[in-house]
Amino acid sequence: QVQLVESGGGLVQAGGSLRLSCAASGGTFSRYVMGWFRQAPGKEREFVAAISWRPGKTAYTDSVKGRFTISREIAKNMAYLQMNSLKPEDTAVYYCAAYYSMYDTIYIRANEYGYWGQGTQVSVSS
């Protein structure tokens, strides 16, 4: 059974940085796309970033481009989200998600992702 566990959330001042980690278990993730989503209070869950198993293939939502970087270590079944220049509007619960993709397609819709972590809170103070 596939399990995803996030860590690394916390409280940080605006302009600061955090690094989220996602540990995957229960399968072989060499053909999985890994993604990060977030959900702020009263808002829908939104796509943040995703990374393919193909080297260098990533996708980001416009609001985080240039500030966030997604990466992964396939051999360790780990994915990361480095978040720099954080803003109060980045405050949300951040979720790690994954799906199997034989053809290396990156989707940004939440319903394409079959596996989800429990989420980790990121709070950015002004």
Side-chain angles (χ1 to χ4, degrees), residues 47-89:
F47 171 80
V48 176
I51 186 167
S52 170
W53 46 263
R54 190 179 301 280
K57 188 169 183 177
T58 58
Y60 297 90
T61 192
D62 286 346
S63 63
V64 308
K65 286 180 180 177
R67 300 189 298 123
F68 291 11
T69 302
I70 190 170
S71 61
R72 68 188 295 178
E73 293 183 272
I74 291 179
K76 295 184 178 180
N77 288 348
M78 294 292 297
Y80 308 97
L81 186 67
Q82 177 66 43
M83 305 185 294
N84 298 329
S85 302
L86 282 161
K87 304 175 180 180
E89 50 264 44

Short mmCIF file of all heavy atoms in Angstrom, two decimals, residues 47-89:
data_model
loop_
_atom_site.label_atom_id
_atom_site.label_comp_id
_atom_site.label_asym_id
_atom_site.label_seq_id
_atom_site.Cartn_x
_atom_site.Cartn_y
_atom_site.Cartn_z
N PHE A 47 -2.91 23.32 -7.12
CA PHE A 47 -1.63 22.76 -7.56
C PHE A 47 -0.51 23.75 -7.26
O PHE A 47 -0.67 24.96 -7.47
CB PHE A 47 -1.70 22.49 -9.05
CG PHE A 47 -0.40 22.11 -9.68
CD1 PHE A 47 0.09 20.82 -9.56
CD2 PHE A 47 0.35 23.04 -10.38
CE1 PHE A 47 1.30 20.47 -10.15
CE2 PHE A 47 1.54 22.70 -10.97
CZ PHE A 47 2.02 21.41 -10.84
N VAL A 48 0.61 23.23 -6.81
CA VAL A 48 1.80 24.05 -6.55
C VAL A 48 2.92 23.69 -7.52
O VAL A 48 3.44 24.55 -8.24
CB VAL A 48 2.28 23.91 -5.10
CG1 VAL A 48 3.57 24.71 -4.89
CG2 VAL A 48 1.21 24.34 -4.12
N ALA A 49 3.31 22.42 -7.52
CA ALA A 49 4.42 21.99 -8.35
C ALA A 49 4.36 20.48 -8.53
O ALA A 49 3.74 19.77 -7.73
CB ALA A 49 5.76 22.39 -7.74
N ALA A 50 5.01 20.00 -9.59
CA ALA A 50 5.10 18.56 -9.82
C ALA A 50 6.40 18.25 -10.54
O ALA A 50 6.96 19.11 -11.23
CB ALA A 50 3.91 18.06 -10.63
N ILE A 51 6.85 17.01 -10.36
CA ILE A 51 8.09 16.58 -10.99
C ILE A 51 7.90 15.17 -11.53
O ILE A 51 7.34 14.29 -10.87
CB ILE A 51 9.26 16.66 -9.99
CG1 ILE A 51 10.59 16.34 -10.69
CG2 ILE A 51 9.03 15.75 -8.78
CD1 ILE A 51 11.80 16.71 -9.84
N SER A 52 8.37 14.98 -12.74
CA SER A 52 8.27 13.69 -13.39
C SER A 52 9.42 12.79 -12.96
O SER A 52 10.35 13.22 -12.29
CB SER A 52 8.32 13.88 -14.90
OG SER A 52 8.47 12.67 -15.58
N TRP A 53 9.33 11.54 -13.36
CA TRP A 53 10.47 10.63 -13.17
C TRP A 53 11.54 10.88 -14.24
O TRP A 53 12.67 10.42 -14.11
CB TRP A 53 10.04 9.17 -13.20
CG TRP A 53 9.10 8.80 -14.31
CD1 TRP A 53 7.74 8.72 -14.21
CD2 TRP A 53 9.42 8.48 -15.65
NE1 TRP A 53 7.20 8.37 -15.42
CE2 TRP A 53 8.22 8.20 -16.33
CE3 TRP A 53 10.63 8.38 -16.38
CZ2 TRP A 53 8.17 7.84 -17.66
CZ3 TRP A 53 10.57 8.03 -17.70
CH2 TRP A 53 9.36 7.77 -18.33
N ARG A 54 11.16 11.61 -15.30
CA ARG A 54 12.15 11.96 -16.33
C ARG A 54 12.95 13.15 -15.84
O ARG A 54 12.38 14.18 -15.46
CB ARG A 54 11.47 12.29 -17.65
CG ARG A 54 12.45 12.43 -18.81
CD ARG A 54 11.71 12.73 -20.10
NE ARG A 54 10.74 11.70 -20.45
CZ ARG A 54 11.05 10.56 -21.02
NH1 ARG A 54 12.30 10.28 -21.33
NH2 ARG A 54 10.10 9.67 -21.32
N PRO A 55 14.27 13.09 -15.84
CA PRO A 55 15.10 14.17 -15.31
C PRO A 55 14.78 15.52 -15.94
O PRO A 55 14.67 15.64 -17.16
CB PRO A 55 16.52 13.73 -15.66
CG PRO A 55 16.44 12.25 -15.71
CD PRO A 55 15.09 11.94 -16.30
N GLY A 56 14.61 16.52 -15.09
CA GLY A 56 14.43 17.88 -15.56
C GLY A 56 13.03 18.28 -15.92
O GLY A 56 12.79 19.44 -16.25
N LYS A 57 12.07 17.38 -15.84
CA LYS A 57 10.71 17.72 -16.22
C LYS A 57 9.91 18.10 -14.99
O LYS A 57 9.63 17.26 -14.13
CB LYS A 57 10.04 16.56 -16.95
CG LYS A 57 8.68 16.93 -17.53
CD LYS A 57 8.18 15.86 -18.48
CE LYS A 57 6.86 16.27 -19.10
NZ LYS A 57 6.37 15.28 -20.09
N THR A 58 9.56 19.39 -14.91
CA THR A 58 8.82 19.91 -13.77
C THR A 58 7.73 20.85 -14.23
O THR A 58 7.71 21.28 -15.39
CB THR A 58 9.75 20.68 -12.80
OG1 THR A 58 10.38 21.75 -13.53
CG2 THR A 58 10.84 19.78 -12.21
N ALA A 59 6.84 21.17 -13.32
CA ALA A 59 5.79 22.14 -13.60
C ALA A 59 5.50 22.92 -12.33
O ALA A 59 5.58 22.35 -11.22
CB ALA A 59 4.53 21.45 -14.10
N TYR A 60 5.16 24.19 -12.47
CA TYR A 60 4.88 25.05 -11.33
C TYR A 60 3.67 25.92 -11.63
O TYR A 60 3.44 26.33 -12.77
CB TYR A 60 6.05 25.98 -11.03
CG TYR A 60 7.32 25.30 -10.63
CD1 TYR A 60 8.27 24.93 -11.58
CD2 TYR A 60 7.60 25.03 -9.29
CE1 TYR A 60 9.45 24.30 -11.21
CE2 TYR A 60 8.79 24.41 -8.91
CZ TYR A 60 9.70 24.05 -9.87
OH TYR A 60 10.85 23.43 -9.49
N THR A 61 2.94 26.25 -10.57
CA THR A 61 1.93 27.26 -10.74
C THR A 61 2.61 28.63 -10.81
O THR A 61 3.71 28.81 -10.24
CB THR A 61 0.91 27.22 -9.58
OG1 THR A 61 -0.21 28.03 -9.89
CG2 THR A 61 1.52 27.67 -8.27
N ASP A 62 2.01 29.57 -11.50
CA ASP A 62 2.68 30.84 -11.76
C ASP A 62 3.09 31.58 -10.49
O ASP A 62 4.15 32.23 -10.46
CB ASP A 62 1.77 31.74 -12.60
CG ASP A 62 1.68 31.29 -14.04
OD1 ASP A 62 2.50 30.46 -14.47
OD2 ASP A 62 0.77 31.77 -14.75
N SER A 63 2.29 31.49 -9.45
CA SER A 63 2.55 32.28 -8.25
C SER A 63 3.79 31.85 -7.49
O SER A 63 4.27 32.59 -6.61
CB SER A 63 1.34 32.23 -7.32
OG SER A 63 1.10 30.92 -6.87
N VAL A 64 4.33 30.68 -7.79
CA VAL A 64 5.53 30.21 -7.06
C VAL A 64 6.76 30.12 -7.94
O VAL A 64 7.86 29.83 -7.45
CB VAL A 64 5.28 28.85 -6.37
CG1 VAL A 64 4.02 28.90 -5.52
CG2 VAL A 64 5.23 27.70 -7.37
N LYS A 65 6.61 30.35 -9.23
CA LYS A 65 7.75 30.27 -10.14
C LYS A 65 8.84 31.25 -9.71
O LYS A 65 8.57 32.41 -9.42
CB LYS A 65 7.32 30.56 -11.57
CG LYS A 65 6.54 29.43 -12.22
CD LYS A 65 6.14 29.79 -13.65
CE LYS A 65 5.36 28.64 -14.28
NZ LYS A 65 4.90 28.99 -15.65
N GLY A 66 10.07 30.76 -9.69
CA GLY A 66 11.19 31.58 -9.27
C GLY A 66 11.41 31.60 -7.77
O GLY A 66 12.45 32.09 -7.31
N ARG A 67 10.46 31.10 -7.01
CA ARG A 67 10.60 31.06 -5.54
C ARG A 67 10.66 29.63 -5.00
O ARG A 67 11.38 29.37 -4.04
CB ARG A 67 9.42 31.79 -4.88
CG ARG A 67 9.28 33.25 -5.27
CD ARG A 67 8.23 33.95 -4.41
NE ARG A 67 6.90 33.38 -4.58
CZ ARG A 67 6.17 32.90 -3.57
NH1 ARG A 67 6.65 32.91 -2.33
NH2 ARG A 67 4.95 32.41 -3.79
N PHE A 68 9.90 28.74 -5.59
CA PHE A 68 9.85 27.35 -5.14
C PHE A 68 10.59 26.45 -6.14
O PHE A 68 10.57 26.70 -7.34
CB PHE A 68 8.41 26.86 -5.04
CG PHE A 68 7.59 27.48 -3.94
CD1 PHE A 68 8.04 28.58 -3.23
CD2 PHE A 68 6.35 26.96 -3.62
CE1 PHE A 68 7.28 29.15 -2.22
CE2 PHE A 68 5.56 27.51 -2.62
CZ PHE A 68 6.04 28.61 -1.92
N THR A 69 11.20 25.40 -5.60
CA THR A 69 11.86 24.41 -6.45
C THR A 69 11.47 23.02 -5.98
O THR A 69 11.65 22.69 -4.81
CB THR A 69 13.38 24.57 -6.39
OG1 THR A 69 13.75 25.89 -6.80
CG2 THR A 69 14.05 23.55 -7.31
N ILE A 70 10.97 22.22 -6.90
CA ILE A 70 10.64 20.83 -6.59
C ILE A 70 11.79 19.94 -7.05
O ILE A 70 12.40 20.20 -8.09
CB ILE A 70 9.31 20.42 -7.24
CG1 ILE A 70 8.86 19.05 -6.72
CG2 ILE A 70 9.38 20.45 -8.76
CD1 ILE A 70 7.44 18.68 -7.13
N SER A 71 12.07 18.92 -6.27
CA SER A 71 13.12 17.98 -6.64
C SER A 71 12.76 16.61 -6.07
O SER A 71 11.80 16.48 -5.30
CB SER A 71 14.47 18.44 -6.11
OG SER A 71 14.46 18.53 -4.70
N ARG A 72 13.52 15.61 -6.46
CA ARG A 72 13.27 14.27 -5.95
C ARG A 72 14.54 13.44 -6.00
O ARG A 72 15.44 13.73 -6.78
CB ARG A 72 12.15 13.57 -6.72
CG ARG A 72 12.50 13.23 -8.15
CD ARG A 72 11.27 12.72 -8.92
NE ARG A 72 10.76 11.46 -8.38
CZ ARG A 72 9.68 10.85 -8.85
NH1 ARG A 72 8.96 11.42 -9.82
NH2 ARG A 72 9.28 9.70 -8.33
N GLU A 73 14.56 12.44 -5.16
CA GLU A 73 15.60 11.43 -5.17
C GLU A 73 14.87 10.09 -5.36
O GLU A 73 14.35 9.52 -4.40
CB GLU A 73 16.38 11.43 -3.87
CG GLU A 73 17.20 12.69 -3.64
CD GLU A 73 18.02 12.62 -2.36
OE1 GLU A 73 17.47 13.01 -1.30
OE2 GLU A 73 19.16 12.17 -2.41
N ILE A 74 14.85 9.63 -6.60
CA ILE A 74 14.07 8.44 -6.92
C ILE A 74 14.56 7.24 -6.13
O ILE A 74 13.77 6.44 -5.62
CB ILE A 74 14.09 8.18 -8.43
CG1 ILE A 74 13.30 9.27 -9.16
CG2 ILE A 74 13.52 6.80 -8.75
CD1 ILE A 74 13.25 9.14 -10.65
N ALA A 75 15.88 7.10 -6.01
CA ALA A 75 16.45 5.94 -5.33
C ALA A 75 16.05 5.90 -3.85
O ALA A 75 15.99 4.83 -3.25
CB ALA A 75 17.96 5.94 -5.45
N LYS A 76 15.75 7.06 -3.28
CA LYS A 76 15.38 7.14 -1.87
C LYS A 76 13.87 7.28 -1.68
O LYS A 76 13.40 7.41 -0.55
CB LYS A 76 16.09 8.31 -1.20
CG LYS A 76 17.60 8.18 -1.13
CD LYS A 76 18.21 9.35 -0.37
CE LYS A 76 19.71 9.21 -0.26
NZ LYS A 76 20.32 10.34 0.48
N ASN A 77 13.13 7.30 -2.77
CA ASN A 77 11.67 7.49 -2.70
C ASN A 77 11.31 8.78 -1.96
O ASN A 77 10.39 8.79 -1.13
CB ASN A 77 10.99 6.29 -2.03
CG ASN A 77 10.97 5.07 -2.91
OD1 ASN A 77 11.26 5.13 -4.10
ND2 ASN A 77 10.63 3.93 -2.33
N MET A 78 12.04 9.84 -2.27
CA MET A 78 11.83 11.12 -1.60
C MET A 78 11.53 12.21 -2.63
O MET A 78 12.06 12.21 -3.74
CB MET A 78 13.06 11.54 -0.81
CG MET A 78 13.39 10.64 0.37
SD MET A 78 12.17 10.75 1.70
CE MET A 78 12.34 12.47 2.19
N ALA A 79 10.68 13.15 -2.24
CA ALA A 79 10.44 14.36 -3.02
C ALA A 79 10.55 15.55 -2.07
O ALA A 79 10.29 15.42 -0.87
CB ALA A 79 9.07 14.32 -3.68
N TYR A 80 10.91 16.70 -2.64
CA TYR A 80 11.15 17.88 -1.82
C TYR A 80 10.52 19.11 -2.47
O TYR A 80 10.35 19.17 -3.69
CB TYR A 80 12.65 18.11 -1.65
CG TYR A 80 13.42 16.92 -1.16
CD1 TYR A 80 14.08 16.09 -2.06
CD2 TYR A 80 13.48 16.61 0.19
CE1 TYR A 80 14.79 14.99 -1.64
CE2 TYR A 80 14.18 15.50 0.63
CZ TYR A 80 14.83 14.70 -0.29
OH TYR A 80 15.52 13.60 0.15
N LEU A 81 10.21 20.07 -1.63
CA LEU A 81 9.77 21.37 -2.13
C LEU A 81 10.53 22.43 -1.35
O LEU A 81 10.27 22.64 -0.17
CB LEU A 81 8.26 21.55 -1.95
CG LEU A 81 7.70 22.83 -2.58
CD1 LEU A 81 7.81 22.77 -4.11
CD2 LEU A 81 6.24 23.05 -2.18
N GLN A 82 11.49 23.04 -2.01
CA GLN A 82 12.25 24.14 -1.41
C GLN A 82 11.48 25.42 -1.67
O GLN A 82 11.22 25.78 -2.82
CB GLN A 82 13.64 24.23 -2.02
CG GLN A 82 14.47 25.39 -1.50
CD GLN A 82 14.82 25.24 -0.04
OE1 GLN A 82 15.19 24.16 0.43
NE2 GLN A 82 14.69 26.32 0.72
N MET A 83 11.12 26.10 -0.59
CA MET A 83 10.31 27.31 -0.69
C MET A 83 11.11 28.50 -0.18
O MET A 83 11.45 28.55 1.01
CB MET A 83 9.01 27.15 0.10
CG MET A 83 8.20 25.91 -0.29
SD MET A 83 6.61 25.80 0.54
CE MET A 83 7.15 25.57 2.23
N ASN A 84 11.42 29.42 -1.05
CA ASN A 84 12.16 30.63 -0.70
C ASN A 84 11.28 31.86 -0.87
O ASN A 84 10.25 31.81 -1.54
CB ASN A 84 13.40 30.74 -1.58
CG ASN A 84 14.36 29.59 -1.40
OD1 ASN A 84 14.46 29.00 -0.32
ND2 ASN A 84 15.08 29.24 -2.46
N SER A 85 11.70 32.95 -0.29
CA SER A 85 10.97 34.22 -0.40
C SER A 85 9.49 34.03 -0.09
O SER A 85 8.61 34.49 -0.84
CB SER A 85 11.15 34.81 -1.81
OG SER A 85 12.51 35.02 -2.10
N LEU A 86 9.23 33.36 0.99
CA LEU A 86 7.85 33.04 1.34
C LEU A 86 7.03 34.30 1.63
O LEU A 86 7.55 35.29 2.16
CB LEU A 86 7.81 32.10 2.54
CG LEU A 86 8.13 30.63 2.19
CD1 LEU A 86 8.53 29.85 3.42
CD2 LEU A 86 6.93 29.99 1.51
N LYS A 87 5.76 34.22 1.27
CA LYS A 87 4.83 35.33 1.46
C LYS A 87 3.67 34.86 2.34
O LYS A 87 3.37 33.68 2.38
CB LYS A 87 4.28 35.78 0.10
CG LYS A 87 5.33 36.16 -0.92
CD LYS A 87 4.70 36.47 -2.26
CE LYS A 87 5.75 36.85 -3.30
NZ LYS A 87 5.13 37.15 -4.62
N PRO A 88 3.00 35.79 3.00
CA PRO A 88 1.85 35.39 3.82
C PRO A 88 0.80 34.62 3.02
O PRO A 88 0.16 33.71 3.57
CB PRO A 88 1.30 36.73 4.30
CG PRO A 88 2.49 37.62 4.37
CD PRO A 88 3.34 37.22 3.19
N GLU A 89 0.65 34.91 1.75
CA GLU A 89 -0.33 34.21 0.93
C GLU A 89 0.08 32.77 0.61
O GLU A 89 -0.71 32.01 0.03
CB GLU A 89 -0.62 34.96 -0.37
CG GLU A 89 0.60 35.36 -1.15
CD GLU A 89 1.02 36.79 -0.86
OE1 GLU A 89 1.03 37.20 0.32
OE2 GLU A 89 1.38 37.49 -1.85
#
